[in-house]
Every structure is written in structure tokens, then in C-alpha cells.
Amino acid sequence: MIRRLPLVLPLASVVLFPRAARAQGQPVAPDSIVVLGLRRLDRNEVLTQSGLAPGKPLGYRDVQHAIQALYATGQYDDVRVAQDTAQGKTLLILSLRERPILVKWAVRGVSRLSEHSVRDKVQLVEARPIDPAAVARGRGRIDSLYRAQGYYLAQVKVVKVYEADSARVRVIFDVDEGRRVAIAQVRFEGNSHFSEAELAAHLKTRPEGFWWFRSGDYDDEKLRADLQERLPKSYGDRGYVDFQVLGDTLLVNDTTGKATLVVRVSEGEPHRVGTFEIVGNRRFSTEDLEGLSPFRGETRTGFLGLGGAEHGPAYFNEEKWKDATQKLQTLYYNNGYIYMNARPEVIRRTGPDGQPVVDLRWVISEGQPAIVNKVEITGNDVTHERVIREAIVLLPGDVFRQDALIRSYQSVSNLGFFQQPLPFPDTRPANDQGDVDVIFRVSEKRTGNINFGASVGQGTGVGGFLGLDEPNLFGLGKRGRFQWQFGKNINDFDVSYTDPAFRDSRVSLTVGVHNTRLRYTIADLGQVKRRGGNIQLGFPVFNDRYTRLFVSYALDDQTFTGASAGVASLSCNDCVRSTFGVSMLRDTRIDLPFPTAGTMHSIGISQSGGPLGGTGDFQRLDLEGRWYAPLGQLGGRASASPVKFVMGFSTRSGLVFGNSPFFDQLFTMGGTQYGIPLRGYDEFSVTPHGYDPRATNGQARSDAFGKAYVAMTGEIGARLSQMFYVSTFVDAGNVWAQARQFNPTRLFRGAGIGLSIISPLGPIGIDWAYGFDKTDLLGRPAPGWKLHFKLGNFF
């Protein structure tokens, strides 16, 4: 049997002075100090060590400091302070237990290892008070030495031999070297609040099992981490801050070499959070900082906190307390106080009801805010410095803010003009006042490209494309784009030019012309010929560089022929569409084209026809939102791009009001080739009248189109690089015949896995999804899998 004897420091019992005096903040001066338990030391030495003196006013902090000073001498195993009265006089009673003097120590039972190497692991000083911690450390080092040599059954016992007066002691480290063992069972003793299964789930020390990776090998380092870190943390996160591992025992069967690990614990009681105090804050009000405390306000119950409210006591959680302190520091850093220091304090006490309580305090040293002295940019051989500075939100003269630095770094990286990963900006002191210089280092990459390849999408079959795209014309951040797609069923010519800083202002300009012929093969949609142009101006709003207001105008001449009678009734022939639109976009996403953080919100309203001339008279409302939250990453060295894990949610919705004689301005749902994507379903299968199983043959009917839709996607993905992204997703959506019928309480659902690749032939998307709400021709449930594939510029 291997028994581990833990080092337990006795707790000091402190009985302070009368409540009335304490409530008024008045210290009490004891008339006399009584010292009990002395054998080697004298009373005057104790008083000198403690700093206590008769007649000297004392408060509870003085008593605490005295106890700490006595323990710091290393002479005592126990220090207890009490207060009493005798004959009308106040007595302060110090009860001490002295440590015995270590006369000699020795090691015995060593045969398999060098006795000299074992003795080197023990660091005890003779002729001095014995230090229980040093004894425990010596025993632990011997234990570790044997385990490092493979003797996992080695037992080291500490034998203390006291002399008659118990003031002197001899210590013997008795070693039983044993043999290697495997753990067959883990058992707990002393646990009353949690089951053995719950506790074992937090350990990495597991018993042997059927599979090869469950060998049950006894690993001393792993067990130490279990008992000193993982198990106490699991209790501490639930308020059990007095939790202790009293010891662990390995019960070994000498015949089979199997062992049972027994862990003895003392759970204690959960600690309620008492008072919360903040001192030293000047920049932020106490009310603002109190909002960072994780132990204030009501607790929400139920899934995602959507249940009712609980007003029960808040229990201390050390991990939440550390996180709150980190948020406090981040708040100051984001406001220029990069030299601030926040010291968290946890003060334990017993409440009036006898239950343990912890009082919390932040002691803040703010310092002075740092100012940005200058911002330097190096390495930009092609891109003009003005383009980079437009992306940097941290300006000279501003208060240095950590969030602004991070946002500037992300914005420069999002330009797409430089090698990735972009080095994080350097900071250096600028002067004796604590101001800083910020240095951005970039490395140019080739941005313009001529691309060609094949495409599949939008129901036009296989085609080819040839294009020229330069997102950084003349190094000024302007974008020129030429695209020609061609094939048996497609001939699409598109030229556009975008200037993000028109005439060196913050107004953006986009102009484009197009000439398109599409013959749809995915359904009997006929042939569309469209030619025209558009112009768009973008203006910053709300004094926010991430939010822009766009005003646009487009004029198209459209011819629609060759469709079935039902589909032809949805669109006119030889028509002119004149459209004026206003939209607002706020985009804070990073790591495009596969975002790993940030949000995007868009709302657009357009008027076609009517007072603008042309055919028809209808209005269209488009809404879109995308949210991304990072979950973590793997890797991330300077020479490699890390794998980033992200959780995303997106929703899109569209509404058409009035008479729209253009079928491509209506909505149909299903598949990924045409219309609103809904993976797990065939093209045109989700209609205003429900699921249409006949759509599996690729035919679309006129009643498949509607004037309102909603589509949502939730996903958890891994961004392997700027070129590869894999995800698991859940889709939901529906379409309605009229805008007034919009009622997203009944959605068609799909789920699956997907892969997206940015390849030399263009973007590629492959999705394998399961449609939950598909039915057969008789209306019976017929869910199933569907493979979706997209290649080329339509992705």
C-alpha cells in the first residue's frame, strides 16, 4: 500500500475584540498578553517576533499581521489568538505549538538506486526547527526519482522518532522500492456533494480499460496535476474554496500488479460572495466597474439562460473572478492605461449564519494614460502609405488603446495586399512620460491576377471564364475588374471600377457595365438577355469607419423568351428596369474570405419603375446579418498560419411589394445552383405551398416563386488557411407568395458538412446535407441526404 501524507497547515483561530468597538472602528489596547505553549523560546522573543505589546492599541489587522509574522519565523506549527477578560482587564492570549528541533535525518531501504542520489533529493537542515514542508518536499523528490526510473510501486514513508520531551526529533525516510503497477480502479472518500463518476470525469488518471490507450499506467506527474489542479479547480468553480485533497492511497495487489487509487478529500462548504469593494479607481466610476463583477444580479436558468430568474446566493467561482479581473485590466488598457495594475483580493470570513463567506476587493493603481506619439509603417514598396493609414484607427495624439491597436491590425490585414500572417504591430516607449510609438511592418504580395477556368452554377450548366482582377490599382487601393463568362448557355461580360476614396475623400465610387445572355438548363426558365449599367456612391455615417450608406442607380434592358407558359407569365419581354436603391452596411468581419470574428449587418431598400420610368412598379427590402465568434485556434507560430475555429450564424430575408414583372426579382428556395440556397433540398423544391417532391427532376413551376423569404444558417467551422474552410452547419428557411404572409414559424431544416476552397480555377464549394422535412408524393415524411457542388465565380 502506498500512502501519501499531505502537508496540512493548521488554521489560526482569531477572536477579535467586541463588536461595538469594531463597528466604530476603534482599536482596543490589551492590558496584558499571555503566551502559552512555550518550551524552547521565551515570552519576550515571541512578542518581538509578533510586534504585539501590552497597552498598544490593536485592531483585527494588527492581529492578522502578528499571526503571519509568527508563522514566518518557522518556529511554530500552530498559532492561535484569543481574547478574554479577567478582573476587569482585557487579556490577549497567544497559544503556540513549537516545532521540535531536527536532530538528525537518514535514508534507509535503498538498494536499486544509488543511496547518494536519493540523499541528494532531501534538503533538511539539522539542529533547526523541523520544517514539515521540507520533509514533505524531500519525500516527494524521492518518490519522483523512483517513478522517473519506472518504480511506480515505490513507497516512501517518513518516520519521526521523538525524544522524551518531544522537543527533539529524528526523521527517517523509509523506502520500499516495490514494483511497477497499473491502476484498475479510482475511488473517492469524503465526497458527499458529488458522485465518484462526476469527480473522476475531471481527472486524467484513469483506470485501465479494454482499448490500448487505457493502459492504466501510474503517472505521478499526471496524478499530481489531478489532485493539485484539476480536482481543486472543479470544486473551486462551484464555490468550494476550502476543498482539500487530504491524501491519496494506492492499494496494490502484489500478485497481479493491479492497484486501486483511493483519493481522500475534504469538500467543505460552498462560499457565498459577501461584500465587493473597489479602491483606487479614478478614471471609471465605481458603478461602472461593479458591472464587471460576475457575482452581481440575478442568475438565469434554462437552456442558454432563457429560463426564469433565480435570486439565490451567489457562490464564489475563482475562474470567474480571474476572468472579471482580466476584463477590468482590458477595460483600462482599451482606454490608454497600459501601465495600470489591478490586485484582486479574496478575504474569507464566517457569516452571521455560520456559513463561510468571501469578501472581494479590487485594489487599482491606474497610473497615467499613454499617448500615441507616432505611427510608423515599413515594408510597403507598392501600396501607398495613405491607403494603409486609412485602415489604421490608432492615430498620433490619441490615447493608446489596446482594442484600437488590434482593430487597426485586423483592418490592415483585411486589405489583402500583404503577406499573411501579418506581424503584430510593435510598440516602443517614445519618451519619459510613458508615450508610445507604434510600428506596422508589412510585406507586399502580388495582388493582381488573370484567372481562367470552368464554372458550374445558376442553372446554366458548364461554362468557362476569363477575368482580370486588380484590387490595388497603382498601389492606391482602387479596384478594377473585368470578367467574361462563356459557354453554350452563357455569355456574360462584366466590367467594373471601384475607388474607395473618390477624389481623395471618404466617399467611395463604383461604376459598372454588363451584357449578359443566360439560357437556363436547370429548369424550364427560358433565356434571359440583359444589358445595362450601374453607379453607386458610398458615404461614411455615424462618424464610424465600418458603417457606410450607399446610394445606387441601375438601368437594365431585359428580354425574356423561351420559357414554359407558367414561368413566362412571371416576367415581361423587352422590358426596361430602372432601379434606385439605398442601403446601409456595417462590416467588422476579419480574416476574409472566411471570417473568424466580427459582424456584418446590411439593410437595403430599392424602388423599381413607377416614378423612375421603365416597366413595373415595385419595392424591394433586403435584410442580412452575419455574426462570427472565435472558439480557439491550433498553432500560430510566426512562420505558419494557425487553424482557427469559429462559430457563425447568419440570416437573410427579402420582401417584394407591388407588381414585379421580372421573375429574377422574385424568390425561390432549395439547392445551391439557383435562388436562395437551402442545403439538403433540390432546386425549386421549397415553395410558398410547401415542399414539392416533383422538383427533383429539375423543373420549376410558376408557383415555386414568392415575394418573401427568410433563410438562416448556424455553423461551427475550422479555417485551415485563407484557401480552405470546413464546417458543420444547420440551415433553415422558407418562402411565401406575398410579403404579408411572412411568418417564419414554419421553416424547412437541413444539416450537414461542407468544404470551401479558393482554387486557381475559382471558388469551389462541396456540401453534403440532410433534409429533415422532405416528403414523398403522398405527403409522407421522406428525409434524406443531398450532395451539392458549385465551381467557379458563382460560389
Side-chain angles (χ1 to χ4, degrees), residues 407-436:
R407 188 67 231 188
S408 299
Y409 167 75
Q410 295 170 343
S411 297
V412 173
S413 181
N414 271 356
L415 290 175
F417 304 155
F418 310 111
Q419 298 288 346
Q420 300 294 326
L422 192 71
F424 195 78
D426 293 331
T427 59
R428 67 186 178 205
N431 49 45
D432 295 336
Q433 287 73 41
D435 299 338
V436 295

Side-chain angles (χ1 to χ4, degrees), residues 709-728:
Y709 84 93
V710 66
M712 294 180 286
T713 296
E715 63 181 336
I716 295 179
R719 180 184 182 273
L720 306 180
S721 69
Q722 286 188 310
M723 311 294 289
F724 294 93
Y725 179 76
V726 296
S727 66
T728 60

Side-chain angles (χ1 to χ4, degrees), residues 324-388:
T325 303
Q326 182 62 46
K327 291 179 181 178
L328 173 71
Q329 294 173 333
T330 301
L331 176 63
Y332 271 92
Y333 293 165
N334 288 342
N335 285 272
Y337 291 82
I338 60 176
Y339 304 111
M340 72 85 63
N341 178 59
R343 185 175 76 252
E345 294 184 356
V346 179
I347 305 169
R348 302 186 187 186
R349 62 180 174 88
T350 301
D353 58 356
Q355 295 299 312
V357 177
V358 292
D359 294 331
L360 305 178
R361 178 188 297 135
W362 276 330
V363 180
I364 300 173
S365 175
E366 293 182 336
Q368 295 296 323
I371 304 298
V372 178
N373 181 58
K374 62 181 178 180
V375 177
E376 297 180 3
I377 302 172
T378 63
N380 52 316
D381 303 325
V382 176
T383 306
H384 286 221
E385 187 169 299
R386 182 190 61 79
V387 176
I388 303 175

Side-chain angles (χ1 to χ4, degrees), residues 661-683:
F662 304 96
F663 83 95
D664 58 351
Q665 291 298 300
L666 303 178
F667 310 116
T668 183
M669 183 173 289
T672 59
Q673 295 290 315
Y674 182 89
I676 309 302
L678 185 63
R679 291 166 289 188
Y681 296 83
D682 291 283
E683 312 292 330

